[in-house]
Amino acid sequence: MFDYIKIAWRNIWRNKRRSFITMSSIFFAVFLAIIMRSFQLGSYDAMINTMIEKYSGYIQIEHPDFPEEASIDNTIEYSKELIKKIQSVENVKGIVPRLSLFSYAYSDVQSKGVLLTGIDPELENAMTGFNKQIAKIKISEGAIGKIKKEGINEELLKALEENKNKFYSNDDVLAFEMNLTNDDDVKKYLPIIKKYAEFNSQSLKKDDKGVLIGSRLANYLKLNVGDSIVLMGQGYHGSSAAEIFPVRGIIIIPNPKLDAMMIYASLRETQNYFSAYEETENPENPKYLLTSYAVNLFDKNYSEVEKTRDDIIAVLNRSDMLVRGWKEANKELNNQIKSDNESGKMMIALLYIVIAFGVFGTVLMMIAERKREMGVMIAVGMKKFKLGIVITLEMMFMSFMGLLFGIILSAPIVALGHLNPIRLKGDMAEMMATYGMEPIMPMAWFDTYYLNQVLVIAGILLVVMIFPVISIMKLKVIDALRA
């Protein structure tokens, strides 16, 4: 067997050009399949992260009638004991109580329907990284005028004008959108922008009397930190709700639709605003109400989500509460992902077909080129099945090297694409914003999909390897010597 391996290895390097073409076709097959699938699965992770982990949670607990009628009258009890019970369930990472209802917001110049959400700021920050979204930079017209006097270049001035009135909470995003692509420009210009565009946007405290408003909503209502906003709506059991809140800060919500309508207030102030409580025997201790508990999990695989949902139902044992996994609670998003995933699989299947014909073509070329050589070898006494073993070993070596290079060279691109997602601009960014998604293209981290692509292409190569063996077994020596 060692002699066969030795001959096969030498044959590969006897015609380097032919071997390189075969290995390259296999390498590009693996490389493209992994990159395509990684982008596709990464976009789903981003959608789930934006819509589920950062807002609704993997499990939601609500009043049974709330999904059909999102009314203040379909609320559930706020109980710290109940929170402890849910927190005791295995796989529960965090739970946040929320009172989230529509209301009307008025500023001096504009009015708009908004979603007022009462939260516990500490719990919310622990679960969603809430405070990291607080805006600290605003590219206002006044800031642009002051920055312009510092002698900035035309390209930066154009970027500032294009992003006028936009808020930022992250230096990296700010540098990217200002087209500061190298370290020297970042060190030179970023401090200048922050010097004139920084403003004092604060987060909420537990019993804060103020509110945080989404950055797009702030621009629409023409509100800034320190201004006041008037909210009016319907309270519990038909009561009227009206209050003036000071604006503590601006928050950047990744989902553009929510960013254009969201107002956060402390949970207790929101409950007082909507009169969302019921009197008890102790007038000083009323029963406060919520619209939902949002639960985040350690293991986000949906089979584990369903198991945790069932465990929570068993622990609560309440018929007046509905416990739903995110696929039940967000059917629109789930259907969107399923539909896109199926079309993505079809694209990958087309790629596999192209790959199969590409590799088959190189094998055909190899057999045609070596037909006379094979005829000579059989004529001088080499058995056909032994020649078939040598050719199969050659194919296996080239397949292995093609697969190995595809795995090795795609790995750093996948890691880089996952840690530093491509941030889209222009029409593509606007289109993604329309669908409520953050305009980024991340790649999925290493998972079973990575191995699956390699296994599928290895399977295609095994099928293709059958052809040269059949060709050798059918080879007519006289015809081969005349080739």
Side-chain angles (χ1 to χ4, degrees), residues 204-469:
L204 289 177
K205 295 176 183 173
K206 192 174 180 64
D207 294 318
D208 207 307
K209 306 288 184 186
V211 296
L212 296 180
I213 59 177
S215 60
R216 287 175 172 81
L217 180 61
N219 280 334
Y220 180 79
L221 295 177
K222 303 188 186 309
L223 288 174
N224 214 329
V225 176
D227 293 341
S228 294
I229 183 170
V230 178
L231 296 181
M232 295 182 71
Q234 181 182 343
Y236 191 49
H237 283 175
S239 62
S240 296
E243 189 60 83
I244 300 174
F245 294 94
V247 177
R248 294 276 187 258
I250 309 297
I251 186 165
I252 300 169
I253 300 169
N255 184 321
K257 285 185 179 176
L258 291 177
D259 196 42
M261 64 188 297
M262 184 66 83
I263 296 180
Y264 285 108
S266 69
L267 181 59
R268 185 51 50 87
E269 283 302 313
T270 309
Q271 288 166 329
N272 290 334
Y273 168 73
F274 284 112
S275 302
Y277 48 80
E278 291 177 347
E279 300 296 338
T280 62
E281 293 179 357
N282 182 359
E284 295 181 356
N285 190 24
K287 185 173 80 175
Y288 283 98
L289 303 171
L290 301 173
T291 50
S292 67
Y293 291 99
V295 182
N296 262 357
L297 307 178
F298 288 108
D299 190 339
K300 298 153 189 173
N301 187 294
Y302 200 72
S303 61
E304 289 300 316
V305 173
E306 290 178 312
K307 180 178 178 300
T308 309
R309 178 200 60 195
D310 294 341
D311 290 343
I312 292 174
I313 291 172
V315 166
L316 291 178
N317 193 24
R318 299 270 296 258
S319 60
D320 61 341
M321 291 188 183
L322 176 67
V323 185
R324 299 189 295 168
W326 71 264
K327 287 186 180 179
E328 299 166 276
N330 296 273
K331 288 180 181 174
E332 188 180 338
L333 175 65
N334 185 39
N335 290 337
Q336 186 180 346
I337 289 176
K338 281 171 69 177
S339 170
D340 192 75
N341 192 34
E342 292 305 317
S343 63
K345 284 180 180 176
M346 288 181 66
M347 290 297 294
I348 290 283
L350 287 174
L351 178 65
Y352 290 152
I353 293 171
V354 173
I355 288 166
F357 277 104
V359 175
F360 188 65
T362 59
V363 171
L364 278 178
M365 177 186 70
M366 183 185 74
I367 296 296
E369 281 183 0
R370 297 174 65 183
K371 193 171 182 181
R372 181 179 174 81
E373 170 198 328
M374 291 175 184
V376 171
M377 292 177 74
I378 294 169
V380 297
M382 190 167 190
K383 300 293 184 186
K384 286 184 178 180
F385 79 92
K386 290 182 178 179
L387 184 58
I389 292 172
V390 172
I391 296 297
T392 303
L393 285 172
E394 287 181 36
M395 288 296 299
M396 289 177 70
F397 283 139
M398 288 189 287
S399 298
F400 176 76
M401 285 188 281
L403 290 170
L404 185 65
F405 282 122
I407 293 169
I408 291 174
L409 294 181
S410 62
I413 294 175
V414 168
L416 192 66
H418 178 78
L419 298 173
N420 301 284
I422 298 170
R423 185 162 286 277
L424 302 174
K425 297 184 76 175
D427 294 340
M428 186 65 79
E430 289 296 325
M431 186 191 75
M432 291 188 73
T434 304
Y435 286 101
M437 295 167 58
E438 192 177 5
I440 57 173
M441 282 184 64
M443 298 180 78
W445 192 243
F446 303 98
D447 204 342
T448 51
Y449 81 90
Y450 204 88
L451 183 60
N452 289 343
Q453 307 311 310
V454 177
L455 291 176
V456 169
I457 292 169
I460 292 171
L461 294 173
L462 283 174
V463 173
V464 171
M465 282 178 201
I466 296 171
F467 176 76
V469 175

Side-chain angles (χ1 to χ4, degrees), residues 94 166 169 178 195 255 259 307 426 442 455 472:
K166 198 166 179 182
S169 62
M178 293 301 117
K195 179 181 176 182
N255 184 321
D259 196 42
K307 180 178 178 300
L455 291 176
I472 290 167

Side-chain angles (χ1 to χ4, degrees), residues 6 37 48 61 87 126 132 136 151 179 200 259 295 329 411 421 459:
K6 197 172 173 180
R37 193 62 179 156
I48 293 171
I61 303 169
Q87 193 74 59
K132 292 179 183 174
K136 297 293 184 185
N179 296 323
N200 185 27
D259 196 42
V295 182

Side-chain angles (χ1 to χ4, degrees), residues 37-85:
R37 193 62 179 156
S38 183
F39 266 122
Q40 190 180 22
L41 295 178
S43 67
Y44 301 151
D45 289 342
M47 289 166 73
I48 293 171
N49 186 53
T50 301
M51 302 292 290
I52 305 300
E53 187 159 339
K54 294 290 184 186
Y55 184 65
S56 64
Y58 289 91
I59 290 175
Q60 284 183 278
I61 303 169
E62 303 161 314
H63 188 281
D65 295 332
F66 191 79
E68 297 298 326
E69 187 181 357
S71 160
I72 180 72
D73 295 326
N74 293 326
T75 47
I76 56 176
E77 174 190 357
Y78 170 55
S79 164
K80 290 182 179 177
E81 290 181 3
L82 195 141
I83 290 175
K84 284 181 183 174
K85 276 187 181 179

Side-chain angles (χ1 to χ4, degrees), residues 37-226:
R37 193 62 179 156
S38 183
F39 266 122
Q40 190 180 22
L41 295 178
S43 67
Y44 301 151
D45 289 342
M47 289 166 73
I48 293 171
N49 186 53
T50 301
M51 302 292 290
I52 305 300
E53 187 159 339
K54 294 290 184 186
Y55 184 65
S56 64
Y58 289 91
I59 290 175
Q60 284 183 278
I61 303 169
E62 303 161 314
H63 188 281
D65 295 332
F66 191 79
E68 297 298 326
E69 187 181 357
S71 160
I72 180 72
D73 295 326
N74 293 326
T75 47
I76 56 176
E77 174 190 357
Y78 170 55
S79 164
K80 290 182 179 177
E81 290 181 3
L82 195 141
I83 290 175
K84 284 181 183 174
K85 276 187 181 179
I86 299 168
Q87 193 74 59
S88 69
V89 173
E90 189 180 0
N91 196 33
V92 170
K93 182 181 179 182
I95 173 169
V96 292
R98 290 175 181 155
L99 178 62
S100 188
L101 291 161
F102 285 96
S103 193
Y104 275 99
Y106 300 86
S107 66
D108 288 342
V109 292
Q110 296 278 22
S111 64
K112 188 178 184 188
V114 297
L115 185 62
L116 175 61
T117 301
I119 56 168
D120 182 321
E122 291 179 8
L123 293 178
E124 197 78 25
N125 186 45
M127 181 164 140
T128 65
F130 184 72
N131 286 342
K132 292 179 183 174
Q133 298 169 236
I134 305 293
K136 297 293 184 185
I137 302 288
K138 181 182 181 183
I139 309 298
S140 65
E141 191 165 350
I144 293 174
K146 292 174 183 175
I147 295 168
K148 191 176 177 182
K149 291 178 182 176
E150 294 283 343
I152 60 173
N153 58 42
E154 288 297 322
E155 189 178 355
L156 177 56
L157 180 61
K158 184 181 175 185
L160 287 166
E161 291 288 349
E162 287 176 352
N163 291 283
K164 191 180 345 182
N165 293 326
K166 198 166 179 182
F167 293 90
Y168 296 91
S169 62
N170 183 300
D171 284 359
D172 292 336
V173 176
L174 175 63
F176 177 81
E177 296 207 348
M178 293 301 117
N179 296 323
L180 303 177
T181 53
N182 62 62
D183 291 342
D184 290 339
D185 284 345
V186 171
K187 288 177 183 176
K188 182 178 179 181
Y189 293 117
L190 205 57
I192 296 174
I193 297 170
K194 292 174 73 173
K195 179 181 176 182
Y196 296 109
E198 207 163 27
F199 69 105
N200 185 27
S201 184
Q202 301 174 4
S203 185
L204 289 177
K205 295 176 183 173
K206 192 174 180 64
D207 294 318
D208 207 307
K209 306 288 184 186
V211 296
L212 296 180
I213 59 177
S215 60
R216 287 175 172 81
L217 180 61
N219 280 334
Y220 180 79
L221 295 177
K222 303 188 186 309
L223 288 174
N224 214 329
V225 176

